[in-house]
Amino acid sequence: KQAERAKHLEQLRAREEEKRKELEERRARHARELASMEGEEMRLLKSLTQCQDDQRAAFMELETLIRESNTGPRRPGTAASATSSEAGGVKLLALK
């Protein structure tokens, strides 16, 4: 009876050790995965920032093209001529 109990305790210890190692491996794997995800998150944020910078530059360029296209000759007294004058004034201020 004592031998059976000792054998049973040894089996329980072996299972416990196996589970402990499995848990340690799982924690290590999760830590690696988390580090990888954090690295990917940083790369995505950098990419997003670059896209936003590119978008901002494209809008500024588009705004400039619109202003330049609105500075052409217009008939006096039309809404387009008012816009044209305003755009021309902005352009002149920017050149000073």
Side-chain angles (χ1 to χ4, degrees), residues 21-90:
K21 285 181 182 180
E22 188 179 304
L23 182 60
E24 286 175 1
E25 289 172 8
R26 192 177 314 155
R27 283 182 180 157
R29 186 179 74 244
H30 288 168
R32 287 190 304 271
E33 289 172 356
L34 179 60
S36 175
M37 286 182 218
E38 287 172 344
E40 182 64 16
E41 179 183 29
M42 293 305 294
R43 284 188 291 279
L44 289 171
L45 285 171
K46 185 177 179 181
S47 177
L48 175 62
T49 301
Q50 183 62 50
C51 287
Q52 289 172 331
D53 291 346
D54 292 348
Q55 184 182 35
R56 220 173 278 114
F59 277 123
M60 288 174 66
E61 186 177 339
L62 179 61
E63 187 178 48
T64 300
L65 291 172
I66 291 170
R67 273 197 213 118
E68 289 173 356
S69 71
N70 284 336
T71 58
R74 302 277 185 223
R75 289 187 318 215
T78 64
S81 70
T83 304
S84 173
S85 299
E86 291 168 12
V90 171

Side-chain angles (χ1 to χ4, degrees), residues 2-21:
Q2 187 85 8
E4 285 179 31
R5 185 175 275 176
K7 183 178 176 183
H8 182 68
L9 285 175
E10 186 56 38
Q11 289 173 342
L12 286 175
R13 281 190 205 112
R15 265 191 269 158
E16 184 180 328
E17 181 65 20
E18 187 179 316
K19 292 290 183 182
R20 188 187 59 74
K21 285 181 182 180

